[in-house]
Amino acid sequence: MRTTPRRIGLLGGITWHSTLVYEALLHEGVAAALPGRTANLVIRHYDFGAVAEAQEAGDWDGLAATFGRDARWLVDGGAEAILICANTMHVIADEVAEAAGVPVIHVVDETAAAIRAAGLDTVALLGTGFTMRMPFYRERLAARGVEAIVPDEPRLTEVHDLIYDRLARGVVDDAGRALAREATDELVARGAQGVIAGCTEIPMVMTAADVDVPYFDALALHAEAGVRFALEG
């Protein structure tokens, strides 16, 4: 293990609430391993509203160009690896990695590894509508031996709206908590053995204590992988 941590670049602000959690977990993880030290980070925070507008317009190429350019900027600032602080934005992870020229630690890989280590192969996936509808997340899980099932409509849109209209704005209430749990219960009834909090805002309304099946917090697993990279010799 290193005596000083490698520098990690964060593409964050998607949303700022979860990016602050990333930062805290990275600092705490390094400090636990290296007393007196904290994480060495360089960060690009985005205006979430601008990102959300581009997502809604389907401008993934534009987002890939922006994130790739900014990842290169982080590398120019000394970053040796990149964390994209949002599950949905991993749709452009390959483009970001190509532009950056350093590893992009992939949230799906870390989540799949934890699921397989727990002996499971079928899980519920709660995330944004993009994450649940688009194939990038589920196909990458499937390639690693994990089947993900997502809510049917209208529940899928309800979960998406919860994230964008409420959680992204810091609105956490009992209705949101109930929705997340109901969506999970429905997917467990369909055969899910566990649940992925596949949006970095889902833990705002549902944690492991709220469900009766194994809970995989993609944000926490992703941050743990960042700590491992920062410390590995």
Side-chain angles (χ1 to χ4, degrees), residues 8-180:
I8 305 292
L10 304 186
L11 293 170
I14 354 166
T15 62
W16 65 264
H17 309 88
S18 60
T19 304
L20 295 183
V21 177
Y22 267 100
E23 293 178 41
L25 291 175
L26 288 163
H27 286 305
E28 290 167 0
V30 170
L34 299 175
R37 299 282 184 177
T38 55
N40 187 345
L41 307 175
V42 56
I43 305 169
R44 168 66 165 101
H45 269 275
Y46 291 97
D47 167 11
F48 174 73
V51 173
E53 289 171 2
Q55 291 174 336
E56 186 63 28
D59 187 15
W60 301 106
D61 289 342
L63 286 167
T66 297
F67 276 57
R69 182 176 61 249
D70 292 341
R72 187 67 238 173
W73 177 75
L74 295 177
V75 172
D76 289 343
E80 298 181 54
I82 302 294
L83 292 177
I84 302 173
C85 300
N87 286 262
T88 294
M89 293 311 300
H90 279 75
V91 70
I92 59 168
D94 290 344
E95 292 89 336
V96 171
E98 182 177 357
V102 300
V104 171
I105 301 170
H106 204 294
V107 69
V108 176
D109 296 349
E110 302 306 324
T111 304
I115 294 166
R116 296 300 291 158
L120 309 184
D121 58 22
T122 304
V123 292
L125 171 61
L126 294 186
T128 70
F130 305 111
T131 295
M132 293 187 288
R133 292 189 182 99
M134 297 169 75
F136 74 98
Y137 207 100
R138 287 176 286 111
E139 287 183 353
R140 196 167 181 113
L141 285 171
R144 287 150 181 79
V146 177
E147 178 187 1
I149 55 178
V150 300
D152 294 326
E153 294 290 4
R155 184 71 79 196
L156 189 152
T157 295
E158 291 172 354
V159 173
H160 176 85
D161 291 345
L162 167 66
I163 293 166
Y164 276 79
D165 296 344
R166 292 152 69 184
L167 301 184
R169 301 178 183 182
V171 178
V172 178
D173 55 25
D174 289 342
R177 295 185 184 95
L179 173 58

